Amino acid sequence: MKYDHLTEVLVKILDERPLDAVDVLEDISRDVKRSRYVDKQSTLRDLRGQSPAETLAEQQRALFDRQEEHEQEDELVEPALPNLSEVGFYLEQLGVGLGREELQRVFLSLKQLVETHALPRCRFWGKILGTENSYIVAEAEYREGEEDEEHSAEEGFEERDNEEKEDTEITAARLIKKFFTGRLDAPIESFPPFPGNEANYLRAQIARISGGTQVSPKGFYHFKEEEGNEEDEVTQDTYEADPEFEGLPAVKLSESLSAWVHHTQHILEQGRCTWVNLTSKAEEQNEEGEEEREEESEEAEPELGPPLLTPLSQDIELFNTPPWTLKMSSSLTPEHAVAFVRSNLWPGAYAYATGKKFENVYIGWGLKYTGEGYSPPVPPPPQREYPSGPEITEDGDPSVEEEQDLKDALEEQEAAKEEDEEEEDEDEDD
């Protein structure tokens, strides 16, 4: 090895012929060694861009950070969040759900939402699928008194305009059918035109789905009784959980729609849950109102929907399709089975009940069932050919010889006819 190195050094000196070869001998030897050990293939890797999985993990890392524990107030008896692990277990029995991994991330997101806004109650409403992204929807309640009760006159008018706009959006959402893209600011291009973007359309569809598919076992809720009333009249507008509810067996819940009831208000054709005489409101704003218009507004009949806690058996069929389907998670062990009901008008809406527990969830495209798609009718079978025979078969064209023979025969017939006529004339003369 040393001999080879010395040979390369001498060859380099002879080739370059430096003037001070003795002085730069060490430098030449160092250059020869460096040229021999050139790193032709580096073992260091170039820095690559962050993958989508790493970006998602970076965004979700905050969900796993343990925050400081906050002292719970004495008034919060029930936990703010439901046990999503238990809900996911029951949803697996129905064959629906998000999967354990995604459901755990949803639970951590809801936990962060509750801690950030100090919500007394929050639940997983469902997931609305989109062509680009999907929406995870949470249903929450605010504490009493947190919302501002005092509004200025201008804020009141703005609030009224917003309410009317929401009513218009809900009524317009019934006339269109559009897939969600997953972008809240995406425009809605439809006919008839929709007054808003995808965020408004999403809000309208969530309200429609909740109004038609939020159900519970019969007896879980009961109407509140007014205090201070001698007759103990029951109000039909508000309800509360019945502490004496013992639950219904799964077999009964899976056999009769009367065992399930609606516990959300029906959305009227007006786009509201409570009917409002818009004609009278318009006349009140008009200072030059006439008595005739007031009489007409009084004659307007209020629109009424089905009352709260109405059984599912009273729901109307649509496109000859029953609105609900009842099933059990297992018929082999009914004592441990979960009874559930599935909406056929809003595919993706489910409600299950077991013991004293029940839950509603929606996982779908956010579109209502509008009947089977149009299929063109099958063309009729081809007609049979008419039977051919000598009576209807067309004769072939005659040849020249046949035409000449026919012509000669006709001439002979004419000549014979003329002779007969002449003979008859002669006999008459005699």
Side-chain angles (χ1 to χ4, degrees):
M1 190 69 180
K2 294 181 179 180
Y3 177 81
D4 295 338
H5 176 67
L6 182 59
T7 302
E8 292 178 2
V9 171
L10 293 177
V11 171
K12 187 174 180 62
I13 293 175
L14 293 175
D15 292 340
E16 297 181 359
R17 296 182 179 275
L19 298 177
D20 47 355
V22 179
D23 298 335
V24 298
L25 180 62
E26 294 182 358
D27 298 335
I28 294 174
S29 177
R30 190 181 301 108
D31 293 340
V32 171
K33 291 180 180 179
R34 186 180 294 112
S35 63
R36 181 179 296 178
Y37 296 101
V38 173
D39 189 8
K40 297 182 180 180
Q41 183 177 3
S42 176
T43 57
L44 299 178
R45 297 181 180 178
D46 297 333
L47 294 177
R48 58 184 177 85
Q50 198 172 21
S51 64
E54 294 174 348
T55 304
L56 181 61
E58 186 69 23
Q59 296 174 354
Q60 296 178 353
R61 186 176 62 178
L63 300 177
F64 297 88
D65 294 339
R66 184 176 180 84
Q67 301 179 357
E68 298 180 359
E69 296 182 358
H70 300 278
E71 296 182 359
Q72 294 184 353
E73 300 180 2
D74 297 338
E75 62 181 4
L76 297 179
V77 179
E78 297 181 358
L81 283 175
N83 188 355
L84 273 190
S85 300
E86 182 182 13
V87 174
F89 169 76
Y90 288 124
L91 291 179
E92 287 182 359
Q93 311 306 312
L94 317 184
V96 297
L98 303 181
R100 298 183 180 180
E101 182 178 352
E102 185 177 1
L103 194 63
Q104 182 64 20
R105 292 198 298 265
V106 171
F107 174 75
L108 295 176
S109 301
L110 296 181
K111 180 175 178 293
Q112 187 182 54
L113 181 66
V114 169
E115 294 175 351
T116 303
H117 299 277
L119 301 175
R121 183 176 178 273
C122 182
R123 61 176 289 268
F124 172 61
W125 183 89
K127 181 177 181 180
I128 293 184
L129 308 176
T131 56
E132 300 177 12
N133 297 303
S134 300
Y135 294 107
I136 300 294
V137 184
E139 182 180 354
E141 294 179 0
Y142 284 96
R143 297 178 186 272
E144 295 182 0
E146 287 188 355
E147 298 181 357
D148 297 333
E149 298 180 356
E150 297 180 359
H151 300 280
S152 61
E154 296 180 357
E155 291 176 350
F157 284 117
E158 291 178 359
E159 184 177 358
R160 181 183 301 173
D161 294 340
N162 293 335
E163 291 180 358
E164 293 179 357
K165 183 178 179 181
E166 290 181 359
D167 299 340
T168 306
E169 291 167 359
I170 293 180
T171 54
R174 292 171 169 170
L175 305 177
I176 64 174
K177 188 174 183 180
K178 293 283 292 185
F179 282 105
F180 291 93
T181 63
R183 294 180 286 108
L184 291 175
D185 58 346
I188 300 296
E189 298 178 357
S190 63
F191 182 82
F194 183 79
N197 54 13
E198 186 164 300
N200 308 116
Y201 181 53
L202 176 64
R203 174 65 183 87
Q205 292 298 92
I206 291 175
R208 295 179 62 200
I209 295 172
S210 298
T213 63
Q214 297 287 321
V215 298
S216 58
K218 184 178 181 180
F220 187 90
Y221 292 112
H222 66 92
F223 293 110
K224 291 183 179 180
E225 296 181 358
E226 294 183 353
E227 297 180 358
N229 194 340
E230 298 179 356
E231 298 180 357
D232 292 333
E233 294 183 358
V234 179
T235 60
Q236 303 294 324
D237 297 334
T238 57
Y239 57 86
E240 60 184 1
D242 188 358
E244 299 179 357
F245 177 72
E246 296 296 333
L248 298 175
V251 177
K252 182 178 180 180
L253 290 172
S254 61
E255 290 179 352
S256 175
L257 288 174
S258 300
W260 299 82
V261 296
H262 291 276
H263 61 262
T264 53
Q265 292 184 344
H266 177 75
I267 300 178
L268 305 176
E269 295 294 334
Q270 193 182 51
R272 300 170 178 261
C273 295
T274 304
W275 185 81
V276 176
N277 193 347
L278 300 178
T279 308
S280 61
K281 277 191 172 184
E283 292 177 356
E284 290 176 1
Q285 295 178 0
N286 186 6
E287 297 179 356
E288 299 179 356
E290 298 178 358
E291 296 181 357
E292 297 179 358
R293 296 183 179 178
E294 293 180 358
E295 294 178 358
E296 293 178 358
S297 63
E298 293 178 357
E299 295 177 358
E301 296 183 359
E303 182 183 356
L304 299 177
L308 289 173
L309 305 185
T310 301
L312 303 190
S313 57
Q314 298 183 12
D315 291 1
I316 303 175
E317 293 187 358
L318 186 65
F319 301 108
N320 296 325
T321 301
W324 300 94
T325 298
L326 293 171
K327 284 190 176 181
M328 272 201 316
S329 60
S330 175
S331 58
L332 300 177
T333 56
E335 61 276 8
H336 302 295
V338 179
F340 68 96
V341 60
R342 181 186 64 202
S343 175
N344 297 326
L345 303 185
W346 289 99
Y350 291 82
Y352 72 85
T354 173
K356 298 182 180 181
K357 299 178 181 179
F358 81 95
E359 191 62 51
N360 292 269
V361 69
Y362 177 84
I363 302 176
W365 293 95
L367 300 177
K368 190 174 183 179
Y369 176 71
T370 55
E372 297 292 340
Y374 173 76
S375 298
V378 179
Q383 296 182 354
R384 298 180 58 184
E385 294 291 341
Y386 199 85
S388 59
E391 298 178 356
I392 60 174
T393 302
E394 183 178 1
D395 293 337
D397 295 336
S399 60
V400 178
E401 291 78 7
E402 293 176 349
E403 290 181 352
Q404 186 64 36
D405 295 341
L406 179 61
K407 184 179 180 180
D408 295 342
L410 292 175
E411 290 178 354
E412 291 178 358
Q413 290 180 1
E414 289 292 335
K417 185 177 180 180
E418 291 177 356
E419 291 179 358
D420 294 338
E421 291 178 354
E422 291 178 354
E423 290 178 358
E424 291 178 358
D425 293 338
E426 291 176 357
D427 293 339
E428 290 179 356
D429 294 337
D430 297 338

